[in-house]
Amino acid sequence: MRRIRLVIDEGPPHYQMAVDEAILLLRGAGVSPDTLRLYVFNPSSVTIGYFQSLRESVNLSYVKEAGIPVVRRVSGGGSVYHDSCGEVTYAVILPAGDLPSDYVESFKLICEGVVRAARKLGCNARFAPLNDVVSADGRKFSGSAQARRLGAVLQHGTFMYATDVETLARCLSVPKGKYSESDVVNAIMRRVTTVSACAGRPVSRGEAIQALREGFAEALDAELVEGRYLPAELELAKSLAWKYRSGEWLELRP
Amino acid sequence: MRVCSLVKRPSEKVIKICIDLSVSREGRCVVEGVQVTGDFFAERPERIDRFIESVRGADAAGVDWVRLIRELAADSRIYGVSDSSLEELGASVSKAVRKACGGGTLA
């Protein structure tokens, strides 16, 4: 059985993204151990994928008005609303060689931790390729993204245990012309759910974190050892945080 | 002017390419800039940014876009989008550029 460091954390979006990237780079360099992070964005934030157009993926007027910060990730994938009171983000950092070479299989292996966590909470969940976990009726409550550097893989993703789905829908960009904003918000709300709604009972943050700990330990066949960040990780994260705060990085693809 | 093409198949990720075109003093249709966006993944994302730099200033009508996008996908190791979708994107970009450039100059 492998040992994986577990770190539970809470903080602003530029910090969370900087820590994920720092551990990815240092795991690739052989400095950091295999790691599972479980963290909360505080304040609630929006992240967008590395390749996404900012204006095409986020409703900028809404997030500005609501005071919701937006940060571009180092990973691909789509835009995400991280609700500080209803979502826990996971990040798994492992050597690429420890994962299946097939990308779908690599997503599936790590997402199995999310599937198991949801089932422990009473939600009959399943993996939906390429990178989602959905309820029995096909509604999404978890999406994941990957970045690969120096032979290491970072997979991070959402676990929406009680996300405000209406706010989530309003944060996403609305295509001009064909649909009204309310049509788009309603369409998104029909496709998205939370673990609480799926389980038919309120799920707390504490329960969500405990279920994720158990789910990932089983899925990765690992003993999770609660630990701290290395000084080198914190130092690198500090120097990476400027990038995630910068307008240049956010507007990389306007 | 800007021409854009995108592909989106069920259970695949979106990839979109937009090309900004202008007319040179000699009347050629020139690539001013390229934007590659979407919710796809790539193992070597920096290669996509390098690709964007490499085609800036090129004669748009003279570029083999199908081959270029195929090579870009392989070089940057794009995943989440199938090979056939990338071929379709290349063909679509090529057609859009030909239409915009006409006989080599902007139509």
Side-chain angles (χ1 to χ4, degrees):
Chain A
M1 184 182 278
R2 70 191 307 162
R3 286 164 68 91
I4 295 181
R5 175 181 59 167
L6 168 69
V7 185
I8 297 171
D9 205 348
E10 181 167 357
H14 61 271
Y15 161 81
Q16 301 295 16
M17 295 298 92
V19 172
D20 274 0
E21 186 177 356
I23 299 175
L24 170 67
L25 295 173
L26 290 171
R27 183 66 194 87
V31 175
S32 293
D34 296 345
T35 300
L36 166 66
R37 297 184 69 220
L38 298 176
Y39 57 90
V40 172
F41 283 79
N42 194 353
S44 298
S45 311
V46 169
T47 64
I48 63 171
Y50 178 76
F51 297 106
Q52 285 193 295
S53 154
L54 174 63
R55 276 157 193 81
E56 289 178 13
S57 53
V58 180
N59 183 343
L60 288 174
S61 58
Y62 177 78
V63 296
K64 190 178 175 189
E65 191 184 308
I68 297 170
V70 182
V71 169
R72 184 180 295 277
R73 300 190 304 269
V74 71
S75 58
S79 48
V80 178
Y81 171 62
H82 303 270
D83 185 337
S84 62
C85 296
E87 191 262 342
V88 174
T89 300
Y90 78 86
V92 172
I93 300 108
L94 296 172
D98 289 3
L99 294 171
S101 55
D102 179 83
Y103 293 116
V104 179
E105 290 303 313
S106 68
F107 269 114
K108 187 178 180 183
L109 176 73
I110 297 176
C111 285
E112 180 63 21
V114 175
V115 170
R116 287 177 185 245
R119 287 182 180 164
K120 287 175 191 295
L121 295 166
C123 169
N124 185 13
R126 63 183 162 84
F127 173 67
L130 171 68
N131 54 337
D132 293 335
V133 178
V134 299
S135 58
D137 61 358
R139 295 167 76 195
K140 176 177 171 176
F141 64 85
S142 173
S144 296
Q146 283 188 3
R148 293 171 178 240
R149 300 283 186 282
L150 307 169
V153 177
L154 159 69
Q155 181 170 317
H156 48 195
T158 57
F159 189 76
M160 300 195 296
Y161 63 91
T163 292
D164 176 349
V165 178
E166 188 174 341
T167 301
L168 175 153
R170 291 195 189 285
C171 286
L172 303 185
S173 182
V174 180
K176 288 185 175 65
K178 196 172 179 183
Y179 304 104
S180 70
E181 185 171 328
S182 61
D183 286 345
V184 174
V185 168
N186 288 334
I188 291 169
M189 287 174 71
R190 278 195 297 275
R191 283 176 28 227
V192 174
T193 191
T194 64
V195 178
S196 293
C198 174
R201 67 176 184 87
V203 171
S204 69
R205 182 195 291 189
E207 282 181 288
I209 288 174
Q210 184 57 32
L212 285 165
R213 290 174 75 138
E214 293 171 12
F216 277 111
E218 289 172 15
L220 301 173
D221 190 22
E223 180 194 353
L224 301 179
V225 182
E226 203 157 344
R228 293 178 177 185
Y229 302 123
L230 304 174
E233 292 169 335
L234 291 171
E235 203 171 307
L236 181 56
K238 197 175 168 186
S239 64
L240 287 168
W242 69 265
K243 175 178 82 176
Y244 290 102
R245 278 201 203 94
S246 73
E248 194 181 357
W249 172 253
L250 181 63
E251 300 260 358
L252 188 64
R253 289 169 178 82
Chain B
M1 76 175 293
R2 168 171 273 212
V3 293
C4 293
S5 298
L6 89 155
V7 286
K8 171 69 183 111
R9 290 183 181 171
S11 82
E12 286 190 17
K13 297 291 155 189
V14 177
I15 182 165
K16 179 180 178 180
I17 295 188
C18 290
I19 302 165
D20 292 313
L21 301 166
S22 68
V23 186
S24 71
R25 264 185 260 167
E26 300 79 30
R28 285 188 307 121
C29 191
V30 173
V31 177
E32 282 292 314
V34 179
Q35 194 176 47
V36 182
T37 57
D39 60 356
F40 61 93
F41 302 96
E43 242 182 274
R44 297 165 166 172
E46 70 282 358
R47 302 289 176 100
I48 293 177
D49 298 326
R50 206 177 298 167
F51 154 81
I52 289 168
E53 289 306 315
S54 73
V55 291
R56 195 166 284 157
D59 179 351
V63 172
D64 182 343
W65 291 100
V66 175
R67 184 178 62 82
L68 205 64
I69 290 168
R70 191 186 301 141
E71 287 176 0
L72 169 71
D75 189 40
S76 60
R77 297 186 184 162
I78 285 175
Y79 59 107
V81 184
S82 66
D83 290 347
S84 60
S85 290
L86 289 164
E87 289 287 319
E88 186 185 320
L89 179 67
S92 174
V93 168
S94 198
K95 190 177 167 188
V97 169
R98 271 203 313 273
K99 190 178 171 191
C101 293
T105 56
L106 278 176

